[in-house]
Amino acid sequence: MNNKILVVEDEPQIANFIKRGLRHEGYNVIVAADGETGLDMAFGELPDVIILDIMLPGIDGLTVCRQIREGELQTPVLMLTAKDAVPDRVAGLEAGADDYLVKPFAFEELLARVRALGRRRAPIESDAPLHFADLTLDPTTRMAKRGDRNIELTAKEYDLLELFMRHPNQVLTRDQIYDRIWGYDFGGESNIIEVYVRYLRSKLEENNESRLLHTVRGVGYALREN
Ligand code: CA
């Protein structure tokens, strides 16, 4: 998986400063210049870390952060605040941000925070079992269960199911799935996603259980109950 960072910042100079620096460090950086685009990209691009300015045109950073959390997206958020005002910091953390950085900042400071947030995410993701309907996925054993029935998964089947279970009730596009499971180089013409979805369904529905992995025609797939 590559490290994708979403930067939501309306000031082009700061956005470019962050983008250039992080790209130089090997990150894949995408930029949104307003809150609405930032929200779309947070849910659409599934970044690993979000750098979010508080002062944005339209929807401000605090609202963006709240909506990200309300949408059940657990992506670590680093807030950028213009001043070291305590109310701003508290509001940011209350809105669901994981950390904050006061402008102006040195790039090294930003990089250290981004690295820490990227690291912090991994253990959280790898430990707790994931639940959806009667389906359980245990990241420590990489086993799935439907009710009491154990389901053995291959490595790719597991990766695919985990991606859906971390984004329940959300339509994942084919591009998003390629990007997260196979990386960029795979190419969009292959039917490998269809093949793996078929494998997964046959295992998840072996005892005629209800369908959880649904096709959203022309778009992609979604884990949902109907
Ligand atoms: Ca700003």
Side-chain angles (χ1 to χ4, degrees), residues 8-11 14 53-57 80 82 103:
V8 189
E9 167 63 88
D10 58 312
E11 289 152 79
I14 299 176
D53 189 34
I54 286 196
M55 298 288 284
L56 292 169
L80 302 180
K103 290 182 186 176

Side-chain angles (χ1 to χ4, degrees), residues 112-125:
R113 308 291 176 107
V114 167
R115 281 188 177 142
L117 287 175
R119 271 198 303 273
R120 196 187 299 175
R121 190 182 181 212
I124 294 170
E125 280 207 340

Side-chain angles (χ1 to χ4, degrees), residues 69-125:
R69 295 302 182 236
E70 277 163 16
E72 311 249 310
L73 209 56
Q74 303 304 318
T75 316
V77 172
L78 174 65
M79 280 277 193
L80 302 180
T81 71
K83 51 194 180 299
D84 194 8
V86 174
D88 261 15
R89 277 189 268 155
V90 173
L93 298 175
E94 273 176 4
D98 299 88
D99 201 355
Y100 64 89
L101 192 58
V102 179
K103 290 182 186 176
F105 51 82
F107 179 75
E108 281 63 34
E109 269 185 274
L110 177 85
L111 183 60
R113 308 291 176 107
V114 167
R115 281 188 177 142
L117 287 175
R119 271 198 303 273
R120 196 187 299 175
R121 190 182 181 212
I124 294 170
E125 280 207 340

Side-chain angles (χ1 to χ4, degrees), residues 15 24 27 39 53 69 97 105 107 128 171 189 213 216 222:
H24 184 72
Y27 290 96
L39 266 177
D53 189 34
R69 295 302 182 236
F105 51 82
F107 179 75
V171 178
E189 294 311 307
L213 201 48
V216 181

